[in-house]
Amino acid sequence: MQIIKLDATGSTNTHLKELLQQKELEDFTIVTTQNQTLGRGQLNAKWESEPYKNLAISLLKKDLDVPINKLFLVSMTVSLAIIDSLNDLRVPDLSIKWPNDILSGKSKIGGILIENIISGSQIKRSIIGFGLNVNQTTFKNAPHASSLKLIIGHDFDLDSVFYSLIEKLHEQLNRPMASLEKELFEQYHSRMFRKGEYCSFMLPDEKLITGVIVGVTINGMLMVTLKDGKIHEFGLKEIQLQY
């Protein structure tokens, strides 16, 4: 494992991808910073982060050999490893908001961005990015955002939080995901935000619909039972949970 700590960078994912283009990197090479200036989340949403208050981490996982049609297993594994680490830090009421936001109560404290490198029909490598709000206490443009400090009430040592996360990610990402499919689904669904509840959703045309979250499919589609009584599947760009 190689850990590269940067004083500042635009994006740890971008930095790691650029390194990978320059030379072959060992499995579990990690790039991290406490000052990420151009962080992004799903659908290129900007990640608001105050310098030296939070963590941004990207890691390279090689030799995954996960079939393309089961790519969400990687996201599940990462989400569950982070939940496991935050449990050890006694963060309360943790859940995963589809597809991979980490919540405490209704507040978002972390987000995951995974970029897969595919060979044939297999995911061979993944660049796994994760941002965690640790000691930041003010969020200007993120109404649902919170941090470990706001939730628990004290400052955290960023290095301690970092190594706790890395330990769990290393442990979980080295397990054979494809053969643990049933277990991963059960654990992910047990931690899924608003699963089994009546919810409102916004469609791309800003129309609001209501339904009950059933779960996710093997390729990461959100399953929702709508008013017609049927289960419908939605991709990331097709539906947004309102909460």
Side-chain angles (χ1 to χ4, degrees):
M1 183 190 301
Q2 180 183 12
I3 299 174
I4 302 165
K5 293 187 176 183
L6 305 174
D7 288 334
T9 189
S11 161
T12 54
N13 264 31
T14 299
H15 189 93
L16 185 52
K17 283 190 291 184
E18 289 172 349
L19 285 178
L20 192 56
Q21 289 172 356
Q22 295 166 15
K23 61 181 179 180
E24 186 62 30
L25 300 174
E26 65 179 84
D27 186 36
F28 233 80
T29 295
I30 296 165
V31 173
T32 184
T33 186
Q34 297 174 12
N35 185 13
Q36 180 171 249
T37 58
L38 297 172
R40 58 192 173 93
Q42 295 290 350
L43 304 179
N44 288 317
K46 190 177 186 304
W47 183 268
E48 182 183 336
S49 184
E50 192 176 334
Y52 309 109
K53 296 288 183 71
N54 307 312
L55 287 172
I57 302 165
S58 294
L59 66 89
L60 172 67
K61 185 68 190 86
K62 300 167 70 173
D63 305 318
L64 280 168
D65 289 326
V66 174
I68 294 172
N69 65 341
K70 296 185 177 184
L71 61 85
F72 202 65
L73 292 176
V74 181
S75 181
M76 285 182 174
T77 299
V78 172
S79 299
L80 291 166
I82 291 166
I83 289 278
D84 199 13
S85 174
L86 295 176
N87 263 329
D88 289 348
L89 296 174
R90 304 190 184 281
V91 182
D93 197 14
L94 290 163
S95 64
I96 306 162
K97 177 178 165 287
W98 175 83
N100 46 26
D101 284 342
I102 306 300
L103 306 188
S104 174
K106 291 185 177 181
S107 299
K108 180 176 175 177
I109 55 174
I112 301 162
L113 181 65
I114 300 175
E115 299 178 75
N116 295 306
I117 299 165
I118 294 166
S119 176
S121 61
Q122 301 287 109
I123 301 168
K124 291 296 184 181
R125 301 179 177 187
S126 285
I127 291 176
I128 299 163
F130 176 61
L132 179 67
N133 297 330
V134 182
N135 293 324
Q136 185 169 335
T137 56
T138 304
F139 298 89
K140 296 177 182 177
N141 300 306
H144 291 295
S146 191
S147 67
L148 302 191
K149 181 177 180 177
L150 283 172
I151 291 163
I152 298 180
H154 62 78
D155 281 306
F156 285 79
D157 179 76
L158 290 174
D159 278 342
S160 295
V161 176
F162 168 76
Y163 285 109
S164 173
L165 288 166
I166 292 307
E167 179 182 356
K168 295 295 185 182
L169 285 164
H170 188 266
E171 176 185 317
Q172 296 301 320
L173 284 168
N174 281 321
R175 300 170 75 205
M177 290 177 216
S179 62
L180 295 171
E181 180 179 322
K182 185 173 183 290
E183 176 186 331
L184 289 169
F185 263 91
E186 288 175 352
Q187 292 179 0
Y188 183 91
H189 281 148
S190 73
R191 285 291 191 178
M192 195 173 179
F193 181 65
R194 303 292 299 272
K195 181 179 178 291
E197 297 182 23
Y198 200 70
C199 303
S200 293
F201 304 89
M202 182 178 287
L203 301 179
D205 61 3
E206 298 190 352
K207 177 184 176 183
L208 288 174
I209 61 172
T210 56
V212 177
I213 295 176
V214 177
V216 293
T217 66
I218 189 63
N219 59 350
M221 302 281 278
L222 183 69
M223 296 187 293
V224 182
T225 301
L226 299 181
K227 286 184 176 180
D228 61 6
K230 298 177 182 178
I231 296 175
H232 297 254
E233 298 178 2
F234 298 91
L236 179 60
K237 297 179 182 180
E238 297 172 335
I239 196 168
Q240 184 177 7
L241 174 65
Q242 305 297 291
Y243 72 105

